[in-house]
């Protein structure tokens, strides 16, 4: 009876967390769009950037365009249609894999445990980080349009960077989950309650979103009087600010601080958690027991490396290798956004017995249902 009540609490927490995520996405997107200023125009006498109405902007020859132009893969434009095929397959694998994880965690009562709810959060953040780029990428590769409006670009940046920071927080929460499970197994259920899990998920999302709002709100007031050609097929903050003809020192320093503080805190927390985990594992007498305990952490360690290595590499390339080949920037950016959503479900499906059984059960049930029909 107590176990059934605990499962119901986890279900309610899971449902409320999903509803809150969706509400925040809609609300923050609307606020970002509404906060954008109207078009800007340069006054030739005073040199100031003035707000003008949309009709005046349309008729003026000195208009500052609010349209950016996305880039595909330079030098390979004639192969864009063929290049879109592997990208399409990667997006399809990522979406199907993460949706499968979410469905299994929701429907299988055996997986209504903290570890798997954190895994569901990871799948949500993976999709939230990669899917906003999908439409603009295929519009470029299929030669439909390279244009993207400034407001759309800001919203895209918001989702990409917010979910990037959120995913880092979720990985920290998963490290804490492994620490409690290995170092304090008898107190696992009392420490990681449904209420605490829901609060962790909400705090992770709000931390990433609130950290990005000052950065993007300031970006909305920058004049872009130089080139409007972006380096990627989607918008990144570090790529947009280099096109601004204004003082971007605040954005550069603030963006660097966000990376150092938020990712630094999360990575330090993960490192400390594993120090305690290893200390507890070494106390286990049997070799089989130590290997079993380490095996429960293997999936999480792989996922941490998959996120942090491309993330750090992309930041280093943008800040210290600005004049390197554009192919390096594009390659790193696509690894950063596509590899985690694609590999994370595969890693957990292979390394976690319960998830693997859930996937097999789902496939066999689907196959049986189609055979009977």
């Amino acid at each position: 009876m107590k176990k059934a009540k605990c499962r119901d609490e986890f279900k309610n927490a899971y449902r409320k967390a999903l509803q809150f995520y969706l509400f925040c996405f809609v609300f923050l997107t609307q606020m970002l769009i509404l906060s954008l200023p109207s078009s800007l125009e340069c006054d030739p006498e005073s040199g100031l950037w003035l707000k003008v109405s949309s009709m005046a902007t349309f008729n003026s020859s000195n208009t500052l365009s609010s349209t950016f132009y996305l880039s595909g893969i330079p030098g390979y434009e004639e192969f864009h249609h063929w290049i879109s095929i592997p990208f399409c397959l990667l997006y399809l694998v990522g979406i199907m894999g993460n949706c499968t994880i979410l469905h299994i965690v929701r429907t299988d009562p055996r997986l209504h445990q903290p570890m798997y709810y954190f895994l569901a959060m990871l799948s949500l953040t993976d999709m939230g980080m990669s899917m906003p780029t999908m439409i603009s990428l295929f519009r470029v590769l299929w030669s439909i349009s390279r244009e993207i409006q400034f407001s759309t670009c800001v919203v895209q940046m918001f989702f990409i960077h917010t979910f990037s920071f959120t995913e880092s927080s979720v990985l920290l929460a998963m490290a804490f989950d492994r620490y409690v499970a290995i170092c304090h197994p008898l107190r696992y259920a009392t420490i990681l309650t449904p209420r605490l899990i829901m609060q962790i998920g909400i705090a992770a999302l709000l931390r990433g979103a609130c950290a990005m709002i000052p950065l993007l709100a300031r970006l909305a007031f920058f004049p872009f009087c130089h080139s409007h050609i972006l380096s990627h097929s989607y918008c990144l903050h570090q790529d947009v600010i280099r096109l601004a003809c204004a003082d971007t020192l605040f954005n550069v320093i603030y963006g660097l601080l966000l990376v150092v503080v938020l990712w630094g805190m999360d990575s330090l927390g993960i490192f400390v958690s594993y120090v305690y985990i290893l200390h507890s594992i070494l106390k286990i007498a049997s070799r089989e027991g130590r290997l079993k305990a380490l095996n429960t952490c293997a999936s999480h360690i792989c996922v941490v490396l998959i996120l942090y290595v491309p993330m750090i590499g992309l930041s280093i390339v943008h800040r210290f290798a600005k004049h390197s080949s554009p192919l390096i920037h594009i390659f790193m950016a696509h690894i950063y956004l596509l590899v985690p959503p694609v590999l994370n479900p595969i890693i957990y499906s292979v390394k976690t017995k319960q998830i693997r059984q859930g996937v097999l059960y789902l496939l066999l049930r689907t196959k049986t249902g189609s055979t009977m029909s």
Side-chain angles (χ1 to χ4, degrees):
M1 189 72 180
K2 186 177 179 182
K3 192 173 182 180
K5 184 179 179 182
C6 186
R7 286 177 179 173
D8 291 337
E9 289 179 352
F10 275 117
K11 283 183 179 179
N12 292 331
Y14 183 76
R15 191 181 302 110
K16 289 179 181 178
L18 284 176
Q19 291 172 351
F20 182 80
Y21 268 53
L22 292 174
F23 172 78
C24 287
F25 298 159
V26 175
F27 176 76
L28 291 172
T29 301
Q30 290 177 346
M31 291 299 295
L32 278 170
I33 294 174
L34 292 174
S35 67
L36 297 179
S38 57
S39 299
L40 299 174
E41 182 178 331
C42 182
D43 184 356
E45 295 182 3
S46 62
L48 298 175
W49 295 94
L50 305 175
K51 290 185 180 181
V52 295
S53 65
S54 58
M55 185 59 69
T57 302
F58 181 80
N59 294 327
S60 173
S61 60
N62 293 325
T63 299
L64 178 66
S65 174
S66 61
T67 302
F68 290 103
Y69 297 91
L70 302 170
S71 298
I73 301 178
Y76 297 88
E77 287 80 5
E78 58 188 47
F79 301 107
H80 275 180
H81 287 82
W82 294 105
I83 294 172
S84 68
I85 295 175
F87 277 109
C88 187
L89 292 175
L90 287 173
Y91 273 108
L92 187 62
V93 170
I95 292 171
M96 289 183 62
N98 286 293
C99 287
T100 301
I101 294 290
L102 290 170
H103 177 72
I104 291 171
V105 172
R106 185 180 67 86
T107 56
D108 192 342
R110 297 173 302 171
L111 302 184
H112 294 169
Q113 301 176 29
M115 172 184 174
Y116 302 107
Y117 282 108
F118 286 130
L119 179 57
M121 291 182 193
L122 184 67
S123 294
L124 283 172
T125 54
D126 276 336
M127 291 194 295
M129 190 170 67
S130 64
M131 287 184 66
T133 68
M134 184 169 58
I135 296 176
S136 61
L137 172 64
F138 288 118
R139 279 168 60 89
V140 173
L141 294 180
W142 292 341
S143 303
I144 298 173
S145 176
R146 292 177 54 208
E147 296 183 358
I148 184 169
Q149 295 300 314
F150 179 72
S151 57
T152 307
C153 192
V154 170
V155 172
Q156 194 177 67
M157 281 188 285
F158 172 76
F159 278 111
I160 292 172
H161 295 296
T162 295
F163 280 111
S164 176
F165 290 128
T166 303
E167 181 156 353
S168 179
S169 302
V170 172
L171 290 178
L172 174 60
M174 295 175 80
F176 177 69
D177 169 80
R178 292 297 84 206
Y179 161 75
V180 176
I182 293 174
C183 300
H184 305 283
L186 299 179
R187 299 174 57 197
Y188 183 74
T190 57
I191 293 176
L192 288 171
T193 60
R195 182 182 179 86
L196 178 62
I197 293 172
M198 184 173 64
Q199 289 174 345
I200 289 173
I202 293 172
L205 179 63
L206 289 180
R207 189 190 75 156
C210 294
M212 286 305 302
I213 287 176
L215 206 62
L216 300 184
R218 182 176 171 81
L219 186 67
F221 294 93
F222 284 163
F224 297 91
C225 53
H226 299 308
S227 170
H228 285 241
I229 300 175
L230 298 173
S231 302
H232 306 293
S233 54
Y234 50 86
C235 297
L236 290 175
H237 172 261
Q238 54 266 42
D239 192 23
V240 172
I241 58 171
R242 69 181 180 82
L243 305 180
C245 50
D247 183 8
T248 59
L249 183 62
F250 172 81
N251 282 59
V252 172
I253 294 177
Y254 183 80
L256 186 60
L257 284 175
L258 282 184
V259 171
V260 172
V261 173
L262 297 187
W263 289 348
M265 287 175 57
D266 292 341
S267 57
L268 179 62
I270 293 171
F271 176 75
V272 171
S273 297
Y274 274 101
V275 168
Y276 283 102
I277 288 171
L278 289 174
H279 184 262
S280 297
I281 288 175
L282 292 175
K283 291 182 179 179
I284 300 175
S286 65
R287 183 173 179 272
E288 291 77 9
R290 291 196 296 269
L291 290 175
K292 185 178 179 180
L294 281 173
N295 190 54
T296 62
C297 302
S299 301
H300 180 255
I301 293 172
C302 292
V303 170
V304 169
L305 293 175
I306 286 171
L307 176 70
Y308 277 99
V309 172
M311 188 185 292
I312 295 170
L314 182 64
S315 299
I316 291 173
V317 165
H318 269 286
R319 284 176 172 81
F320 304 108
K322 296 180 180 179
H323 302 292
S324 60
S325 171
L327 290 177
I328 296 177
H329 291 257
I330 293 169
F331 180 72
M332 291 298 300
H334 285 301
I335 286 180
Y336 162 64
L337 286 180
L338 281 178
V339 170
V342 171
L343 291 186
N344 289 350
I346 296 174
I347 290 171
Y348 274 97
S349 298
V350 171
K351 297 293 293 181
T352 307
K353 180 181 178 181
Q354 291 82 350
I355 296 294
R356 185 168 63 251
Q357 290 176 343
V359 172
L360 292 174
Y361 175 74
L362 181 64
L363 292 174
L364 291 174
R365 187 177 63 178
T366 304
K367 184 177 180 181
T368 304
S370 62
T371 304
M372 292 179 63
S373 60

